[in-house]
Amino acid sequence: MKIVVIGGTGLIGSKAVALLRQGGHEVVAASPKSGVNTITGEGLKEAMAGAQVVIDLANSPSFEDKAVLEFFEISGRNLFAAETAASVRHHVALSIVATDRTDNGYFRAKAAQEKLVVASGIPYTIVRSAQFMEFLSGIADSSADGNIVRLPPVLFQPIASDDVAAAVAEAALAAPRNGIVEIAGPERAPFNEIVARYLQAVGDPREVVSDPEARYWGGRVEERSLVPLGEARLGRIGLDEWLRRSQSRA
Ligand SMILES: NC(=O)c1ccc[n+]([C@@H]2O[C@H](COP(=O)([O-])OP(=O)(O)OC[C@H]3O[C@@H](n4cnc5c(N)ncnc54)[C@H](OP(=O)(O)O)[C@@H]3O)[C@@H](O)[C@H]2O)c1
């Protein structure tokens, strides 16, 4: 089967490409570096020729509210025009748990991306993931004020990128759900506790303070704002195992 992975050079994209190639599929790792750009449209027609499945794992180079919204809207429109012309049979998109019930600029952009997927007329599966463990460092930085990291004690369930890539590859090989699959890590604990465990393990001296008023990327979050509410596919790699693996790779 020919599968196009948009964002195939990224964190999740490169792992999904490797898994699908191991399974014997013909995989195009599409990204600006390989001459495929969903914003300009460059290379899209050629990449899509003969493809049955497209997996969209691209991300915006800028996380500024307006820029990220424009990225996912323009990228989505160009992608669906090319996929429709090529009669693609299944579109898989990677989104975020709770994009529809948590308010911040990045989540609004992902919600707009999801709307385009549903309206595209192409059979689809939306995989909504909890935050990646690889993103813990970025979260700590975004919530830091000097040596203090303020985070709300809401529930948090990060997932390792290896587990995300496996779930995305599985979704791409299954029939389209025309719906949403949620995925998260195997452990659920307060946000501040998980980030404190992470910082301690990597030898970062910053102190994590539990602050119910602290925001997540500028948005207010409640106890269950960041975790799946219903049944979710759980990853196999817990935080301690992920830390061991990343430290042995370093
Ligand atoms: N971070 C989280 O916790 C989290 C949680 C749930 C879902 N997600 C979603 O997961 C997805 C993948 O994230 P990631 O961290 O794997 O991304 P990443 O490592 O930042 O990779 C981004 C990819 O997008 C490609 N790209 C950028 N502009 C493009 C364009 N104009 N046309 C085509 N490709 C373009 C990049 O290509 P080049 O290498 O050529 O620049 C790269 O392959 C994102 O959609 C994100 O919203 C993230």
Side-chain angles (χ1 to χ4, degrees), residues 6-13 30-34 36-39 56-61 71-72 94-96 106 110 113 129-132 135:
I6 301 289
T9 52
L11 173 68
I12 307 300
S31 84
K33 281 185 193 138
S34 70
V36 183
N37 191 320
T38 57
I39 298 300
D56 184 7
L57 301 174
N59 207 356
S60 170
F71 178 88
F72 283 112
L94 181 57
S95 190
I96 311 178
Y106 191 84
K110 294 298 285 184
Q113 179 191 18
S129 172
Q131 283 65 37
F132 308 157
F135 198 42

Side-chain angles (χ1 to χ4, degrees), residues 103-124:
D103 190 40
N104 69 53
Y106 191 84
F107 278 35
R108 278 195 293 276
K110 294 298 285 184
Q113 179 191 18
E114 288 190 5
K115 271 195 189 145
L116 289 171
V117 172
V118 174
S120 70
I122 296 170
Y124 68 91

Side-chain angles (χ1 to χ4, degrees), residues 70-162:
E70 272 175 18
F71 178 88
F72 283 112
E73 287 190 336
I74 296 169
S75 178
R77 285 197 197 100
N78 287 337
L79 256 183
F80 291 123
E83 290 182 34
T84 302
S87 304
V88 166
R89 296 204 294 248
H90 187 185
H91 178 97
V92 177
L94 181 57
S95 190
I96 311 178
V97 163
T99 40
D100 54 343
R101 52 190 168 86
T102 304
D103 190 40
N104 69 53
Y106 191 84
F107 278 35
R108 278 195 293 276
K110 294 298 285 184
Q113 179 191 18
E114 288 190 5
K115 271 195 189 145
L116 289 171
V117 172
V118 174
S120 70
I122 296 170
Y124 68 91
T125 302
I126 294 172
V127 178
R128 278 192 186 162
S129 172
Q131 283 65 37
F132 308 157
M133 289 181 191
E134 285 76 2
F135 198 42
L136 288 170
S137 157
I139 289 172
D141 291 347
S142 79
S143 310
D145 183 7
N147 277 332
I148 303 290
V149 175
R150 283 183 201 285
L151 287 167
V154 301
L155 292 172
F156 197 58
Q157 201 170 343
I159 179 167
S161 60
D162 285 322

